[in-house]
Amino acid sequence: MWRKARTVTPLQILTTARTILVLAQVLILALSFVYARRLLGLLPAFLGFLLIAFDPFHIALTRLLHLDGLLSNLVLVSLLAFIAYLRQRRRLDLVLSGLAAGLGWLTKTPALFLIPAVGLLALAEVWPRSPRDDLQHMVNVRLLPSRQELWSQFQPVLAWHALAALVFTVLWPSMWVQPIQTLSNLFNGALSVAEQGHNSAVFFNGQVIADGN
């Protein structure tokens, strides 16, 4: 005897999708807070995340079926986890940062800014720092890190990129069959939107703007 199919309304689908999105972002922000507390201490981390929690723009975007809020939260946890790795050298931090980066790339293309960001953070860790600014001391300080220091620092960066790329590829089936075409469409679409803007209607300042511009 066949069971009668349950009717699911579009509103129920939207409600479920929004609930999942909100719960996922709560978990991401909780993990971000843990890293911020490790890096900054309890009080600065608490005050910073209090500002995030009550920011109207962040509240609005994280409660809609929209990707900008998710994007910003993934970028935040990826950067915090990578900085924590640079400070304490825990492999789990590097893995979590790479996973978040890969998910961020899958969410929206602006997350690709993480690629140069982690490289610059790693370089900053090995760049010689002078505790004094006088000219005589600067003459005696090595101006550039050694090749060995650079290589030891950028090995984790390469591993981070490999892990993020693996997540990006495994979770996007289109990359399994047409990776070059998929990436080409991705970047061409992003450039097109950046040049032309959004043409769909938007609601802003109490008015509906038909062309979105």
Side-chain angles (χ1 to χ4, degrees):
M1 184 174 181
W2 294 99
R3 284 175 126 186
K4 186 177 179 180
R6 183 183 173 188
T7 302
V8 179
T9 66
L11 181 58
Q12 290 175 316
I13 296 175
L14 178 62
T15 301
T16 303
R18 284 185 175 179
T19 302
I20 293 173
L21 195 61
V22 169
L23 291 176
Q25 295 189 91
V26 168
L27 292 175
I28 294 171
L29 286 174
L31 183 60
S32 300
F33 175 77
V34 171
Y35 278 115
R37 186 180 63 179
R38 279 172 51 186
L39 294 169
L40 304 172
L42 178 59
L43 183 59
F46 177 76
L47 292 177
F49 276 80
L50 201 63
L51 293 174
I52 294 175
F54 288 97
D55 177 70
F57 197 63
H58 186 269
I59 291 173
L61 288 178
T62 52
R63 281 154 179 75
L64 294 173
L65 194 58
H66 200 278
L67 297 178
D68 285 344
L70 180 61
L71 167 69
S72 63
N73 293 334
L74 286 170
V75 168
L76 175 63
V77 71
S78 181
L79 285 176
L80 289 175
F82 188 77
I83 294 172
Y85 169 77
L86 293 177
R87 300 290 174 82
Q88 300 171 348
R89 296 292 170 172
R90 298 181 181 178
R91 290 185 180 179
L92 180 60
D93 298 336
L94 184 66
V95 171
L96 289 175
S97 177
L99 288 173
L103 293 174
W105 297 353
L106 288 168
T107 303
K108 291 193 79 172
T109 50
L112 292 172
F113 108 93
L114 287 168
I115 295 175
V118 297
L120 291 174
L121 287 171
L123 183 61
E125 281 296 305
V126 295
W127 203 268
R129 297 178 179 84
S130 172
R132 296 163 51 192
D133 294 329
D134 58 277
L135 182 61
Q136 182 62 37
H137 186 76
M138 292 177 65
V139 169
N140 296 328
V141 170
R142 184 165 42 87
L143 296 179
L144 295 174
S146 67
R147 184 180 301 177
Q148 184 177 2
E149 288 174 330
L150 286 174
W151 175 242
S152 65
Q153 190 71 355
F154 277 92
Q155 279 182 321
V157 175
L158 294 176
W160 180 92
H161 282 83
L163 179 58
L166 180 64
V167 172
F168 181 81
T169 303
V170 169
L171 296 183
W172 194 358
S174 180
M175 289 290 295
W176 307 350
V177 292
Q178 291 184 321
I180 297 177
Q181 185 63 39
T182 299
L183 293 175
S184 176
N185 292 340
L186 177 69
F187 287 110
N188 289 336
L191 291 174
S192 175
V193 172
E195 293 173 355
Q196 300 176 12
H198 296 276
N199 296 321
S200 57
V202 296
F203 180 79
F204 178 74
N205 197 25
Q207 297 179 344
V208 176
I209 304 174
D211 60 358
N213 296 317

